Amino acid sequence: MARIKSWAGVSAVALVAGLVAGAGPRATKADPQITDSLTLFGTPGILSMPSAEALEDGQISATLTSMGGQTRASFSFQLAPRITGSFRYSRIEDYYMDGEPLSDRSFDLKFQVLQEQPGKWWPAVAVGFQDFLGSGIYSGEYIVATKTVSPRLRFSAGLGWGGLARYGVIGSAGEREPYIPGDEGGTVNASSWFQGDVAAFGGLAFQASDRLTLKAEYSTAGYVDEAGDDLIDRKSPWNFGLDYKIRENAHLQAAYIGGSEVAVQLSFSTNPRKPAVGPGNETAPLPVAGRPARRSDPGAWDTAWASDPATKPGLRRVLGNAMAKEGLILEAMAYSGRSIELRYRNTRYIAEPQAMGRISRILTRALPASVETFSLVPVQNGVPGARVTLRRSDLEAFEHAGSAPVLAAAQITDTAAAPDPAGLEYLPGQYPRFTWSLSPYVALTAFDPESPLRGDVGLRLSGRYDLAPGWVLEGAITKKVFGNGGEDENPSTSVLPHVRSDAALYAAEGDPAIERLTLAYYGRPGPNLYSRLTVGMLESMFGGVSGELLWKPVDSRLALGGELNWVKQRDYDQLFSFREYEVVTGHVSAYYDFGNGYHGTLDVGRYLAGDWGATVALDREFDNGWRIGAYATVTDVSAEDFGEGSFDKGIRVTVPYSFFTGQPSKKTAGTTLRSLARDGGAKLSVNGRLYDTVRDTHRPELEDRWGRFWR
C-alpha cells in the first residue's frame, strides 16, 4: 500500500479542530470524562492503553517515562474540550538503526465523540490515532469507551489496531502496511487506519485517596523490532500501576508491565487559563469618576476651557503622567469641548481592552464634565490601529454591570478611513526615541537522533531607535555563556541548499553574533491596508529586503496578505559577511479568526531552499497571552530529499512572563517543537510581521479579550 503524503490531511485536521473548538460545554475536573492521570505515553488513559477521558480544557502536560530500555518524553495539549493532541520523542535502546539506538518522533490525536453525563447510562467514547505522523513503530488506532461507576472508580474498554493489537487478536480487517525500518516516516498513512489485526483491551482506575490512584489493565499493546520480536519480554497481558499526586500539577507513576518490566514516569501539567500566581497582583485601577448633574453645576459642563491656549500643556502633562504610571505612553492628542482622541503606546498589557479600560477611567477623572466622547487609538510601530470610541455616560452607567454592555455600545472604526481629527498633534519629545534591554536567552535544538538535546544559554543586548512615526531601527547582539549548540561542526549532508540544516555551524562560530540589525518602515497605504518594508540583517542566517502588504478590515475575521523577500545567506560568524547563496522567497497568506481564541493560517509560496508549497497552521491563544499551535508544511521537495520526517511540522508554544510573575507584562518566551530542523519548507524569520500586530486592536480580538476591560 502506498503512503498518502499530502498536507490536505493535516489541513483537514486543523479545520475540524477549528470548527468543533466551541462545541459543547467547557469541561472541568468535576466532570466525569475529565482526568489528570496519564498513560506511559503521556496521553489520557490507564497505563499502556488509552481511555475515553480528556484533560481539562487548555491543559498542557509534559512527561518523562522510562521502561524496558525505552525512554519517552511527551507533550500533550487539550486543544479543545473534546480534542487532545500529543507530541512524543522516544529513544529505544534495544532497537538499533545504523548501529545507533532508534530515535522516534510521533504525533497523536484523540477525538472524544461522546461525553459521559452524570446520572446517565452511556459512557464517554473516543476515537484516537497514535503515531499517525511518526515513523510508524508506535502507529495504531483505537475506539474506546469509559464509564464512571462511582466518583472513585472508572472502567474503560475498547478495540485497538496496529501497535495496540500486538496481543490477544480477536480478528482482522483488511491489510495494514508494516513498519519499515529506516523509512523516513512522517507521512499520513491513512490507507492503513483501522486495518489489519484488531484486539480488545480494557482496564480500570480506582482513586484510593486524594493523592493515590491504582490502575490495572488488560493490555494488547506491543512494539516489535525488524525481526517481529516484541521489544519487551511479555509474560502476561496484565499491567498494574499506581499514580501518586505529588502536588496539584505533578504526578509520579510506577507500573509493572507485562509481568516483566518496571516503568517509572514523572509528569507535570499547567493550564493557561489558570495563572500560576492566581488572578494577578497588578495595581487596582482607579474607579470611574462621576459627573455632577448639569442642572446642579452648569459651569462644569461649559466648553470654554477647550479654546483656552493654556489648557493644552496642562492637559498633556496630567494625562501623560497618569498614563505613564500604567505603562501607557501618550503619543498624540486632539480634543474639543465635547470629545477627545488619544493615540498611545501600550507597553504593559497583553490584552488591549485592559489598557483601554484604564485610560478611560483616567479620562473620567482628568477631563471636564462636558467631554462625552473618548476615542482611543493604540499605536504599534508608529502606525495607528483601529479607533475605539466610547461614551462617557456608558462608562458611568455600566461600571458595575460587567464589560459586555460597554463593548455593545462601543464604536470600532478604521483610522485610515477618515481624516485625522482637527488639532491632532504629537507630544513634544516622542521622536526620535531610543530604548534598550539586556536579558538572558535560551536557544535549544531538540530531537536530533545523534544529540537529542543541544542548546546555548547566553545574554541578548537589544536596542530600538524610533526615528519618526513608522520608522524603526533595531538590532540585537547575543553572547553565549555556555552550551553545546555548536557541538556538531560538520556541514549538513542535505542535498538541498543548507538554509537551516547548518544551524550547528552558526551556533559554533556566531559568538558573539549580530542576531538582527534592521531598518523598517510601517505604513497605512489606505483603508483596511497595512504595509511593512524591512532591510538589513533580517535574522541570524539571512539578510536582505523584506516587503509585506496586509488587507485587514476592522470588523472582519478574515485577513489576506502577501510578502516578498530577496535574501542572501549570512556567514556562519553572523557579523557582516555573506555566503554566495541567495534566493527570492515569499508567500500569499490567508488568516482567519475562528473565535474563542482559535486562529488559522494558510501560506502558499516559495521557501528559502527554492521549493514551492504551502503551510497550514492552527493556533489557540488565551486572553493572558499563552499561545499554543501546530503547523505543517509540504512542498515539492520529495520525502527522500527532505530526509527523516518527510516534511516540516511542529508544535509552537508562547508563554507570557506575567503568567508566572502575576505582574502585567507584554514580554513572552516562545519555542517550537519540531521533528528535525530540515531545509525543506523553511521560512524566513523576520520581526514585525503585520497580522499578529494589527489584529490585536480589531473587533474580533477585542471582543475575545474585552472581559479584561474593567480589570
Side-chain angles (χ1 to χ4, degrees):
M1 297 183 186
R3 286 184 181 263
I4 297 176
K5 200 169 52 168
S6 169
W7 63 268
V10 182
S11 62
V13 170
L15 179 59
V16 169
L19 292 175
V20 305
R26 295 286 183 184
T28 66
K29 288 183 180 178
D31 294 326
Q33 70 270 5
I34 300 302
T35 184
D36 56 6
S37 186
L38 304 173
T39 69
L40 299 173
F41 290 92
T43 59
I46 311 171
L47 290 168
S48 292
M49 309 307 296
S51 71
E53 300 160 307
L55 303 174
E56 187 176 359
D57 183 37
Q59 181 170 318
I60 303 166
S61 296
T63 65
L64 182 63
T65 307
S66 177
M67 182 195 76
Q70 301 179 50
T71 302
R72 305 181 192 131
S74 69
F75 174 93
S76 292
F77 174 50
Q78 195 65 32
L79 293 92
R82 299 192 184 194
I83 303 177
T84 312
S86 303
F87 171 76
R88 180 170 46 255
Y89 175 80
S90 305
R91 188 172 177 86
I92 305 174
E93 298 296 335
D94 294 332
Y95 193 120
Y96 294 96
M97 291 294 300
D98 299 326
E100 295 290 333
L102 176 66
S103 295
D104 182 84
R105 290 151 297 279
S106 53
F107 292 83
D108 299 357
L109 272 178
K110 180 164 78 173
F111 301 85
Q112 191 181 66
V113 296
L114 186 65
Q115 291 182 316
E116 181 181 0
Q117 299 296 327
K120 304 295 184 179
W121 64 268
W122 63 76
V125 178
V127 177
F129 303 85
Q130 180 173 286
D131 194 6
F132 78 101
L133 278 180
S135 58
I137 193 169
Y138 290 138
S139 177
E141 303 80 48
Y142 59 87
I143 301 173
V144 62
T146 297
K147 179 61 182 172
T148 302
V149 179
S150 73
R152 292 184 178 271
L153 181 62
R154 297 182 185 182
F155 285 93
S156 297
L159 297 175
W161 286 260
L164 302 176
R166 302 294 190 197
Y167 185 90
V169 175
I170 62 173
S172 183
E175 296 183 13
R176 186 179 189 91
E177 183 178 356
Y179 169 63
I180 302 173
D183 188 8
E184 300 295 352
T187 54
V188 182
N189 192 17
S191 61
S192 289
W193 288 351
F194 301 102
Q195 299 294 305
D197 292 341
V198 58
F201 61 87
L204 62 87
F206 175 69
Q207 189 174 345
S209 69
D210 291 342
R211 290 182 177 270
L212 181 63
T213 299
L214 306 179
K215 301 180 179 182
E217 69 179 9
Y218 178 85
S219 173
T220 58
Y223 316 102
V224 298
D225 61 19
E226 61 268 39
D229 299 324
D230 206 318
L231 292 174
I232 66 172
D233 182 17
R234 184 195 301 273
K235 297 179 180 178
S236 167
W238 292 97
N239 299 333
F240 303 93
L242 55 86
D243 184 320
Y244 182 74
K245 183 185 294 186
I246 303 171
R247 52 188 302 176
E248 185 62 30
N249 63 345
H251 288 241
L252 178 64
Q253 187 165 217
Y256 190 53
I257 303 298
S260 62
E261 300 287 350
V262 174
V264 179
Q265 181 186 76
L266 186 62
S267 64
F268 298 93
S269 65
T270 188
N271 195 314
R273 299 165 65 224
K274 299 178 179 180
V277 292
N281 52 14
E282 65 259 41
T283 305
L286 295 168
V288 171
R291 291 176 288 182
R294 188 188 298 267
R295 181 175 300 176
S296 63
D297 189 1
W301 293 75
D302 187 79
T303 62
W305 64 272
S307 58
D308 185 348
T311 299
K312 184 180 294 184
L315 188 58
R316 283 176 169 176
R317 183 177 63 256
V318 170
L319 292 180
N321 291 341
M323 290 172 60
K325 293 178 181 178
E326 300 284 359
L328 305 165
I329 300 174
L330 179 60
E331 283 213 350
M333 179 177 69
Y335 62 88
S336 68
R338 302 294 185 190
S339 64
I340 187 169
E341 176 165 312
L342 300 184
R343 299 193 175 184
Y344 68 93
R345 284 185 291 117
N346 170 19
T347 67
R348 179 174 296 176
Y349 303 104
I350 286 180
E352 199 62 49
Q354 187 170 359
M356 293 179 176
R358 300 219 165 195
I359 294 173
S360 298
R361 280 169 284 199
I362 290 172
L363 293 178
T364 66
R365 309 181 73 84
L367 294 176
S370 65
V371 181
E372 167 66 9
T373 303
F374 302 160
S375 292
L376 308 179
V377 181
V379 176
Q380 295 275 12
N381 295 320
V383 176
R387 176 183 289 112
V388 178
T389 302
L390 306 167
R391 292 195 308 167
R392 188 171 182 174
S393 53
D394 291 331
L395 300 174
E396 294 167 338
F398 301 135
E399 182 180 15
H400 303 293
S403 57
V406 180
L407 175 61
Q411 296 181 20
I412 304 175
T413 57
D414 186 355
T415 52
D420 289 341
L424 181 71
E425 294 182 5
Y426 281 87
L427 273 66
Q430 290 300 306
Y431 295 95
R433 180 178 59 250
F434 177 72
T435 56
W436 67 278
S437 66
L438 179 64
S439 60
Y441 79 89
V442 178
L444 295 178
T445 301
F447 313 129
D448 188 315
E450 297 182 1
S451 183
L453 183 63
R454 289 204 304 260
D456 295 323
V457 176
L459 295 175
R460 175 183 288 114
L461 177 64
S462 303
R464 176 184 173 114
Y465 195 58
D466 290 84
L467 302 167
W471 289 93
V472 180
L473 177 65
E474 64 176 338
I477 299 173
T478 59
K479 178 67 177 76
K480 181 171 69 175
V481 176
F482 63 89
N484 64 344
E487 191 174 80
D488 181 9
E489 297 187 33
N490 296 317
S492 165
T493 58
S494 171
V495 299
L496 301 174
H498 297 180
V499 296
R500 292 294 184 226
S501 58
D502 279 342
L505 296 176
Y506 283 90
E509 298 189 26
D511 183 29
I514 300 174
E515 190 175 44
R516 65 182 185 276
L517 181 61
T518 60
L519 175 65
Y521 175 70
Y522 301 86
R524 294 295 312 271
N528 304 326
L529 293 176
Y530 301 81
S531 63
R532 171 186 61 82
L533 181 65
T534 309
V535 299
M537 308 296 186
L538 302 175
E539 50 144 285
S540 59
M541 297 186 186
F542 285 91
V545 182
S546 173
E548 184 182 5
L549 184 67
L550 179 75
W551 173 84
K552 175 66 173 71
V554 165
D555 292 327
S556 176
R557 293 188 177 274
L558 175 69
L560 301 174
E563 180 179 291
L564 185 64
N565 315 291
W566 173 83
V567 292
K568 193 167 185 178
Q569 191 166 25
R570 298 178 62 187
D571 214 340
Y572 300 138
D573 61 8
Q574 298 170 70
L575 296 177
F576 294 100
S577 56
F578 289 84
R579 301 176 63 79
E580 293 183 0
Y581 182 75
E582 60 183 69
V583 65
V584 174
T585 176
H587 296 80
V588 292
S589 303
Y591 311 89
Y592 194 78
D593 182 347
F594 291 99
N596 295 325
Y598 292 87
H599 299 268
T601 305
L602 174 65
D603 299 317
V604 180
R606 194 179 194 220
Y607 295 80
L608 285 172
D611 46 333
W612 293 83
T615 298
V616 62
L618 179 69
D619 294 273
R620 183 176 182 184
E621 191 170 46
F622 296 84
D623 290 347
N624 57 11
W626 270 88
R627 186 168 183 170
I628 303 172
Y631 75 92
T633 298
V634 173
T635 71
D636 55 5
V637 171
S638 67
E640 293 74 20
D641 288 345
F642 182 89
E644 186 174 351
S646 298
F647 64 94
D648 188 33
K649 53 196 170 292
I651 297 170
R652 51 197 184 195
V653 182
T654 299
V655 182
Y657 286 13
S658 58
F659 182 83
F660 301 100
T661 65
Q663 295 291 338
S665 172
K666 298 191 78 172
K667 292 183 178 180
T668 61
T671 189
T672 298
L673 303 175
R674 54 165 49 94
S675 55
L676 284 174
R678 297 296 191 188
D679 297 314
K683 291 183 67 176
L684 185 70
S685 177
V686 58
N687 272 3
R689 284 197 166 106
L690 296 173
Y691 176 71
D692 283 334
T693 300
V694 166
R695 67 178 176 86
D696 285 346
T697 66
H698 285 197
R699 179 177 291 277
E701 189 72 8
L702 291 174
E703 288 179 343
D704 283 348
R705 296 184 170 188
W706 198 264
R708 289 179 171 250
F709 181 84
W710 288 122
R711 185 163 175 176

